[in-house]
Amino acid sequence: MAEAPMLRVENLNVLYGDFQILWDVSMTVGAKEVVAVLGPNGSGKSTVLKAIMGLTPVRSGKIIFEGEDLTKVPTHEMVARGISMVLERRRLFGAMTVRENILLGAYHRSVNKNTASRLEWVESLFPILAERRDQIAGRMSGGEQQMVAIARSLMSRPRLLLMDEPYLGLAPRIVSQIASIIQRINQEGISVVFNEQNVHLSFGVSHRGYLLESGRMMLTGTGEEMIHSDVIRRVYLGV
Amino acid sequence: MTFSLFIEQIINGLIIGSMYALVGSGIALIYGTMRVLNLAHGEFYMLGGYLVFFLVVTCGVPAYLAIPIALLAAFLLGALIQRLTIHYLLQREGWAFSTIAVTLGLSIFLQNSALLLFGENVQSVPYYVTGIVEFAGVRIPMQRLLILGVAILTIAVMTYVLKATRLGWAIRATSQDRDAAAVVGIPASRIYLITFGIAAALGAIAAAMMAPIYAITPWSGLPILFKGFVVVILGGLGSFPGAIVGGLLLGVVEAVGVQLTSTEWRDVIAFALMIAVIWVRPWGLFGSKS
């Protein structure tokens, strides 16, 4: 009998107004696992992550993390539960410096002890950010901003990191850099859930994947299983 | 105009301007964090005046005690009003625009409450300090110097709070990106509440200092609200340093302009300055183009 998964999403339904985005979505994430949420544009990938983080209201369903239902927990308390998130398009505090952005990642009272050692750990993952610490975050390149966003999210030393479209709008060279950072984060014992359109890009780093289409979970499996699946071919190629 | 009179006018302009700056920076803080244009902000100034009047004149509390009490009361009142009105609108998707109607309603409500409580008579508070300082032919009343001193102290404290405290970082982060702030653990609604209280207190400081010079009436908030808007437009909507510079600039330009023309031109000069700045830099002196 395998131990209970770290995160279990059950029959999640999310509506924006009258429009239903997610239909009975279920998924699990194990400890120290990297899970990719795949699907075409508009399939509801981002909504799954936002719902877990409490950024979007849930109509029905359960989100169980380490035994606790998160659907009533406000977003600003997630850090205290051990969950952190890298938002789509970085969403840095653009007028603040790199150092201020990163330190804000340890804002919550539950994680603002030993800030110096947290900072040291994060900057060991991103040495370039130590050099750039006094730069205004909004004036950096897209790749550098993504590193600041990831660094900020790691300051709370989460057990689960959600990454909304981490590769979006980045040059191919930067994408492979971010991919190796995801692997590095995972080696630190952190579970990662990220979403991405490109199937091949995703399975470079993830252990397992879920495929969403029009808000419904269509398929799950390892990278190998999913790449050869007929469902993937139908969803992406329309055949 | 003699040179010393000119210098006197510049100093007077800076003094009045520092009050415009305090009122404007409150409007800027509220707009910056919650994107709400607070049309009731003039009433915080008006209520601050009455609070000081009530404490000093009616109750006989010494000014050095009355002013801090009035500030605390204004902070609590501002926070309470935010919690009872704007809070509910910001909780709902797409209701933020209704804050214009609600703050306008609040403004009318607070004016009439003051009318009911204090009557329509013009009230004032005795000078906190008397005497005139004279230096190289320039004469400035002590009361006005006290105003400038309090304004500088307030601005210094606010700058420190925003730059170097946990609360200040939370306010700045929330104003830049509410969702990103929530993700790192900053509760936006509590920050909104505190920011509203601080903004109300800033208005009350200005009112407390001006109370011995300008009359307090239930309607004294409106003209200062207009000046506050000019200040935030000059400085860039939502910018705290912009509001400080905008306020001082407005005060000096008004004072010198009035000296060159006459008092009736004061508001014309203020709005001409605003239009001139919008013409060249529509985003204000400190705002960003986006």
Side-chain angles (χ1 to χ4, degrees):
Chain A
M1 179 78 197
E3 62 181 309
M6 178 187 236
L7 176 76
R8 201 170 75 238
V9 175
E10 278 175 24
N11 301 319
L12 195 64
N13 286 290
V14 171
L15 286 83
Y16 287 160
D18 293 332
F19 189 72
Q20 186 149 4
I21 307 286
L22 298 181
W23 302 76
D24 284 325
V25 166
S26 298
M27 66 183 282
T28 61
V29 180
K32 300 184 176 109
E33 194 178 29
V34 180
V35 170
V37 180
L38 306 163
N41 225 340
S43 55
K45 306 186 296 291
S46 285
T47 306
V48 173
L49 300 194
K50 284 187 190 137
I52 295 170
M53 199 63 188
L55 286 165
T56 211
V58 168
R59 179 61 59 96
S60 67
K62 277 184 186 160
I63 301 166
I64 311 288
F65 178 74
E66 294 177 345
E68 183 191 12
D69 190 355
L70 293 181
T71 48
K72 294 281 176 286
V73 176
T75 304
H76 61 86
E77 290 298 337
M78 291 297 176
V79 164
R81 303 294 194 281
I83 306 177
S84 192
M85 184 169 184
V86 178
L87 291 161
E88 188 178 335
R89 297 191 181 274
R90 280 88 64 179
R91 304 282 290 271
L92 297 179
F93 305 117
M96 297 169 99
T97 64
V98 169
R99 179 56 69 82
E100 286 176 320
N101 266 278
I102 295 174
L103 285 176
L104 272 163
Y107 174 86
H108 196 280
R109 295 237 182 253
S110 65
V111 297
N112 72 355
K113 314 281 178 297
N114 335 317
T115 310
S117 72
R118 287 164 190 272
L119 189 64
E120 202 176 307
W121 172 62
V122 164
E123 286 183 343
S124 73
L125 293 172
F126 303 95
I128 192 172
L129 299 184
E131 295 164 27
R132 298 284 175 85
R133 64 175 165 203
D134 295 321
Q135 204 167 334
I136 298 296
R139 297 204 192 115
M140 299 175 95
S141 72
E144 288 166 339
Q145 288 196 20
Q146 187 62 280
M147 288 183 202
V148 177
I150 297 171
R152 183 175 71 186
S153 73
L154 290 176
M155 279 298 281
S156 60
R157 281 188 183 264
R159 293 185 292 286
L160 172 64
L161 179 63
L162 310 171
M163 301 175 89
D164 196 356
E165 308 266 9
Y167 300 148
L168 193 70
L170 299 180
R173 188 175 53 83
I174 310 294
V175 166
S176 59
Q177 224 175 323
I178 300 292
S180 63
I181 287 169
I182 293 177
Q183 282 173 320
R184 186 66 207 286
I185 291 169
N186 183 233
Q187 283 161 13
E188 301 274 336
I190 299 169
S191 297
V192 178
V193 179
F194 70 96
N195 58 8
E196 170 56 40
Q197 274 186 60
N198 186 316
V199 177
H200 290 275
L201 210 54
S202 303
F203 287 120
V205 288
S206 61
H207 303 115
R208 265 186 329 122
Y210 285 91
L211 176 71
L212 271 172
E213 189 196 10
S214 311
R216 289 179 173 86
M217 216 46 116
M218 305 302 286
L219 182 70
T220 178
T222 64
E224 195 62 17
E225 290 163 5
M226 288 185 75
I227 283 173
H228 299 294
S229 147
D230 289 342
V231 181
I232 286 263
R233 240 173 272 160
R234 184 181 59 72
V235 168
Y236 276 93
L237 303 171
V239 294
Chain B
M1 179 168 36
T2 63
F3 184 70
S4 58
L5 189 62
F6 180 72
I7 296 293
E8 248 175 64
Q9 284 315 312
I10 295 221
I11 294 172
N12 275 327
L14 283 173
I15 290 164
I16 303 297
S18 68
M19 296 294 105
Y20 292 164
L22 292 187
V23 174
S25 62
I27 296 173
L29 276 177
I30 291 176
Y31 186 82
T33 44
M34 51 205 115
R35 303 288 180 273
V36 167
L37 207 51
N38 180 23
L39 295 178
H41 205 73
E43 277 59 50
F44 289 139
Y45 173 90
M46 179 271 289
L47 287 176
Y50 274 116
L51 280 167
V52 171
F53 166 78
F54 176 74
L55 289 165
V56 173
V57 177
T58 314
C59 304
V61 178
Y64 61 86
L65 277 178
I67 295 172
I69 297 172
L71 292 193
L72 186 65
F75 175 88
L76 294 175
L77 196 68
L80 182 72
I81 288 173
Q82 195 276 350
R83 185 64 185 77
L84 294 177
T85 58
I86 294 169
H87 171 78
Y88 293 104
L89 300 174
L90 295 180
Q91 293 284 307
R92 294 185 176 210
E93 202 79 37
W95 280 62
F97 191 72
S98 345
T99 54
I100 291 193
V102 168
T103 57
L104 182 63
L106 265 175
S107 159
I108 297 167
F109 172 77
L110 292 173
Q111 280 176 24
N112 286 289
S113 306
L115 183 63
L116 205 66
L117 282 170
F118 300 102
E120 58 189 333
N121 288 345
V122 171
Q123 308 291 5
S124 73
V125 172
Y127 272 35
Y128 302 133
V129 285
T130 50
I132 288 177
V133 178
E134 197 166 345
F135 183 78
V138 178
R139 292 161 56 86
I140 307 285
M142 283 293 280
Q143 174 67 36
R144 293 196 179 233
L145 283 182
L146 180 69
I147 295 177
L148 193 60
V150 168
I152 290 169
L153 182 69
T154 308
I155 291 165
V157 168
M158 275 309 296
T159 305
Y160 174 79
V161 166
L162 287 174
K163 273 272 169 219
T165 67
R166 184 178 156 81
L167 171 67
W169 282 41
I171 291 175
R172 282 157 66 213
T174 307
S175 68
Q176 287 172 58
D177 193 321
R178 180 186 176 166
D179 281 348
V183 165
V184 299
I186 303 171
S189 31
R190 194 184 314 156
I191 297 302
Y192 291 166
L193 192 78
I194 295 171
T195 305
F196 221 87
I198 290 175
L202 287 171
I205 295 179
M209 298 319 292
M210 295 300 256
I213 301 179
Y214 287 122
I216 306 160
T217 77
W219 303 279
S220 51
L222 204 56
I224 200 84
L225 177 74
F226 286 140
K227 291 293 158 65
F229 281 154
V230 174
V231 166
V232 293
I233 289 166
L234 286 179
L237 267 176
S239 163
F240 181 82
I244 303 301
V245 174
L248 296 174
L249 180 69
L250 178 63
V252 170
V253 170
E254 267 189 19
V256 173
V258 164
Q259 196 62 37
L260 296 173
T261 56
S262 69
T263 326
E264 299 89 75
W265 286 84
R266 181 181 290 273
D267 289 351
V268 178
I269 293 162
F271 288 104
L273 174 67
M274 182 185 86
I275 291 165
V277 167
I278 294 178
W279 200 299
V280 196
R281 279 179 71 90
W283 51 92
L285 299 171
F286 280 65
S288 58
K289 264 188 197 183
S290 60

